[in-house]
Amino acid sequence: MEYILIFISAIFVNNIVLSQFLGICPFLGVSKKIETALGMSAAVTFVLTIATIVTFLIQKYVLDAYGLSYLQTITFILVIAALVQMVEIVLKKVSPSLYQALGVFLPLITTNCCILGVAILVIQKDYDLLTGVVYAFSTALGFGLALTIFAGLREQMSLVNIPKGMKGTPIALITAGLLAMAFMGFSGVVKI
């Protein structure tokens, strides 16, 4: 039951983008087309889940064991950077069109504070490995859900006549705010 609560909470109630405001750069930058948003969601899901496993093991069996906890941030950043490079190489071979569509935002996963934030939150919340992986995977799904919904809204807005002063970033930020308010409606569903 605990895993179900974590799953629902991470996706809807404590959405990493709309509630905790982590991962805003790819949220705003890659959300113009649904196809690109889905590709970024898949890449973030993979990197976030694997990064959580690797950083958890490094934290417990290296940093904590040898009293090097002060190196947590730099170690986690290096692990995430290596994983993103791996994803970039695989995407370039498997799906060149998605690789091109993601463009500069794929290397930006390295600096996506959502991934680093979740890796650190798993340690701070003192989760065990399985709970941490469930939390990370659920958070990634929540990120993907928010990104995909936002991309769909932005695609629809491109078909509408929007006043000149509101085009682009202003209407995107207003829409993101409205989407965050909509997700606040889930706040009474799960209490963790």
Side-chain angles (χ1 to χ4, degrees), residues 41-142:
S41 298
V44 166
T45 301
F46 176 76
V47 170
L48 186 55
T49 305
I50 300 301
T52 299
I53 294 169
V54 174
T55 56
F56 179 88
L57 295 173
I58 289 173
Q59 179 73 37
K60 295 298 179 191
Y61 297 110
V62 177
L63 299 179
D64 287 348
Y66 295 105
L68 300 172
S69 296
Y70 61 91
L71 294 174
Q72 180 189 57
T73 304
I74 191 71
T75 305
F76 285 13
I77 289 171
L78 291 173
V79 167
I80 292 166
L83 289 170
V84 169
Q85 289 300 312
M86 186 177 72
V87 169
E88 193 171 358
I89 291 167
V90 169
L91 271 181
K92 197 172 189 178
K93 296 283 185 195
V94 173
S95 180
S97 60
L98 180 58
Y99 175 78
Q100 290 296 328
L102 291 174
V104 72
F105 292 101
L106 187 57
L108 284 178
I109 293 176
T110 304
T111 58
N112 184 345
C113 56
C114 167
I115 296 172
L116 179 61
V118 170
I120 291 172
L121 282 171
V122 165
I123 301 302
Q124 286 178 349
K125 292 182 179 198
D126 202 27
Y127 286 153
D128 59 26
L129 182 59
L130 182 58
T131 307
V133 170
V134 168
Y135 175 73
F137 183 73
S138 304
T139 300
L141 291 180

Side-chain angles (χ1 to χ4, degrees), residues 7-21 27 138-151 153 174-191:
F7 186 79
I8 292 170
S9 176
I11 293 174
F12 298 109
V13 179
N14 296 320
N15 188 287
I16 198 79
V17 177
L18 302 174
S19 175
Q20 298 179 31
F21 307 114
F27 180 70
S138 304
T139 300
L141 291 180
F143 175 84
L145 177 68
L147 184 64
T148 305
I149 290 172
F150 191 57
L153 291 171
I174 290 170
T175 305
L178 291 172
L179 187 58
M181 287 175 57
F183 269 66
M184 281 179 57
F186 293 112
S187 63
V189 175
V190 177
K191 297 284 184 194

